[in-house]
């Protein structure tokens, strides 16, 4: 494996194969598998889980890692094409990425969406540039349109929770004080569709996911025996749900327009998952969220602290599945 950028780049069987390897590595640790190998990690945006779990996973496989957080002890990196670099950034990724790649055996990069131009972000303009600049195996640690490591961990979590393949999976928009990127909803939608689930995207008007993401997921669902729909009707969506996956994202109607987005979301603070959301769901319905989550803003304490929430298992599974990805790339 030279690239782990998007679940959609792989077949369902290839994903299942990586998940099988993840289980094998958990059952039969290989503490020397990556001895002498180095993973470089570049975080253009903050992280808790991704940073810690990749470093821990690399160490557990006998390898080592370095972390670059531009502007925090290392040069600030410019990402704009044809930028006149008379601001804070002292170095461009066009030099920075190849140099860092030359020091390691694989590189992971986190580069969120710019959040201004939906078409450019959905086209992965920045990450495509990073991809071209990196001549070593490359892992997407969250880009404008994808978070495949999170999606892989969530697939494993669903399997461990014995959520049936055809179960009803509700990807629900939840409130956040400001617009967040589309990467996790995009990756989650694709994951659930590839797994073969009955996927319902629940979102208020103005927050529909981009049509190309919906079309891609519908195509994946068609191949895996699942289906994909979308609605703004919360009651209908939650009826019979086996899983509610809560996620915050920005208005696609007002993409790049912070004021327009803020006006729209101001009336949506009741989109905080409470226990009452599960009244008509399956009795043992699960609550998923990639974390970080704002308590009592996106999801209420009563749900996060109850038995439905599997958010810590999702986070732990990041470590397990990423070790499998690293093993595939470097062992
Ligand atoms: N879910 C996730 O990627 O967490 P971090 O942003 O903390 O890495």
């Amino acid at each position: 494996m030279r690239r782990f950028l998007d679940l959609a780049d792989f077949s369902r069987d290839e994903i299942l194969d990586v998940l099988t390897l993840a289980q094998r590595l958990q059952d039969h640790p290989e503490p020397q598998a990556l001895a002498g190998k180095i993973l470089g990690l570049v975080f253009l945006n903050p992280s808790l889980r991704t940073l810690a779990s990749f470093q821990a996973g690399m160490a557990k496989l006998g390898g080592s890692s370095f972390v670059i957080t531009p502007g925090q002890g290392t040069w600030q990196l410019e990402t704009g094409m044809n930028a006149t670099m008379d601001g804070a950034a002292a170095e461009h990724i066009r030099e920075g990425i190849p140099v860092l790649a030359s020091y390691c055996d694989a590189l992971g990069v986190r580069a969120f969406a710019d959040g201004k131009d939906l078409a450019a972000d959905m086209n992965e303009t920045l990450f495509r540039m990073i991809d071209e600049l990196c001549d070593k195996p490359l892992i997407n640690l969250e880009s404008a349109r994808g978070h495949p490591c999170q999606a892989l961990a969530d697939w494993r979590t669903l399997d461990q929770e014995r959520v049936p393949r055809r179960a009803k999976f509700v990807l629900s928009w939840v409130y956040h004080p400001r617009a967040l990127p589309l990467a996790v909803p995009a990756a989650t939608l694709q994951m659930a569709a590839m797994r073969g689930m009955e996927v319902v995207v629940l979102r208020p008007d103005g927050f529909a996911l981009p049509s190309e993401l919906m079309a891609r997921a519908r195509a994946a669902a068609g191949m895996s025996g699942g289906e994909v729909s979308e609605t703004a009707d919360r009651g209908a969506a939650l009826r019979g749900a086996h899983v509610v996956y809560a996620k915050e994202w920005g208005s696609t109607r007002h993409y790049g327009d912070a004021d327009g987005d803020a006006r729209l979301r101001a009336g949506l603070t009741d989109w905080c998952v409470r226990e009452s959301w599960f009244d008509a769901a399956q009795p043992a319905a699960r609550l998923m969220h990639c974390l970080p989550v704002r308590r009592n803003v996106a999801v209420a304490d009563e749900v996060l602290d109850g038995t439905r929430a599997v958010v810590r298992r999702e986070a732990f599974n990041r470590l397990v599945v990423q070790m499998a990805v690293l093993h595939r790339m470097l062992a």
Side-chain angles (χ1 to χ4, degrees), residues 106-148:
L107 195 67
V109 180
R110 168 166 283 194
F112 286 177
D114 204 22
K116 296 183 184 121
D117 180 340
L118 181 58
D121 285 342
M122 288 303 99
N123 194 35
E124 292 280 33
T125 305
L126 173 56
F127 219 85
R128 282 176 196 269
M129 179 160 54
I130 292 166
D131 188 1
E132 283 175 14
L133 292 166
C134 180
D135 64 356
K136 295 287 174 61
L138 178 66
I139 304 172
N140 178 354
L141 307 182
E142 189 173 336
S143 63
R145 200 185 63 179
H147 197 351

Side-chain angles (χ1 to χ4, degrees), residues 46-51 110 141-142 147 150 290-292 318:
S47 166
L48 185 148
R49 277 145 292 276
T50 306
L51 191 159
R110 168 166 283 194
L141 307 182
E142 189 173 336
H147 197 351
Q150 184 65 51
C290 65
L291 303 181
R318 291 290 305 275

Side-chain angles (χ1 to χ4, degrees), residues 70-315:
Q72 296 174 41
T74 58
W75 303 118
Q76 200 151 314
L77 291 179
E78 174 64 55
T79 58
M81 282 297 283
N82 306 119
T84 300
M85 291 174 52
D86 54 1
E91 182 153 16
H92 201 284
I93 58 167
R94 290 167 74 180
E95 283 74 48
I97 292 292
V99 167
L100 291 170
S102 74
Y103 300 149
C104 61
D105 299 287
L107 195 67
V109 180
R110 168 166 283 194
F112 286 177
D114 204 22
K116 296 183 184 121
D117 180 340
L118 181 58
D121 285 342
M122 288 303 99
N123 194 35
E124 292 280 33
T125 305
L126 173 56
F127 219 85
R128 282 176 196 269
M129 179 160 54
I130 292 166
D131 188 1
E132 283 175 14
L133 292 166
C134 180
D135 64 356
K136 295 287 174 61
L138 178 66
I139 304 172
N140 178 354
L141 307 182
E142 189 173 336
S143 63
R145 200 185 63 179
H147 197 351
C149 299
Q150 184 65 51
L152 194 60
D154 290 338
W155 190 321
R156 176 175 160 85
T157 303
L158 289 165
D159 290 349
Q160 287 181 320
E161 292 289 328
R162 300 187 192 286
V163 176
R165 179 172 167 179
R166 280 285 292 161
K168 187 172 185 181
F169 182 97
V170 180
L171 169 60
S172 178
W173 184 89
V174 289
Y175 181 78
H176 188 278
R178 61 184 175 82
L180 294 192
L182 292 165
V184 171
T188 305
L189 171 64
Q190 186 67 19
M191 177 277 296
M194 287 179 73
R195 192 172 181 267
M197 307 188 77
E198 179 194 341
V199 187
V200 180
V201 180
L202 167 64
R203 79 294 177 280
D205 288 341
F207 291 86
L209 293 178
S211 56
E212 60 263 44
L213 295 181
M214 295 299 293
R216 190 180 73 153
R218 286 195 173 100
M223 291 173 67
S224 63
E227 58 186 91
V228 173
S229 63
E230 61 182 326
T231 182
D233 183 340
R234 196 190 297 167
L238 296 174
R239 200 169 305 123
H242 292 78
V243 177
V244 176
Y245 194 110
K247 188 66 194 92
E248 316 81 346
W249 67 83
S251 167
T252 43
R253 182 184 294 162
H254 297 287
Y255 203 83
D257 169 13
D259 292 342
D261 180 290
R263 277 194 300 276
L264 187 58
R265 70 178 54 238
L268 300 170
T269 53
D270 66 319
W271 285 72
C272 173
V273 181
R274 302 188 182 283
E275 188 54 30
S276 58
W277 281 42
F278 295 90
D279 285 351
Q282 298 291 330
R286 309 319 191 270
L287 178 282
M288 298 179 75
H289 190 288
C290 65
L291 303 181
V293 64
R294 288 186 181 231
R295 282 175 170 258
N296 305 309
V297 172
V299 184
D301 282 345
E302 66 203 32
V303 181
L304 282 170
D305 296 333
T307 55
R308 300 185 186 288
V310 294
V311 295
R312 290 187 200 169
R313 173 169 261 187
E314 292 175 79

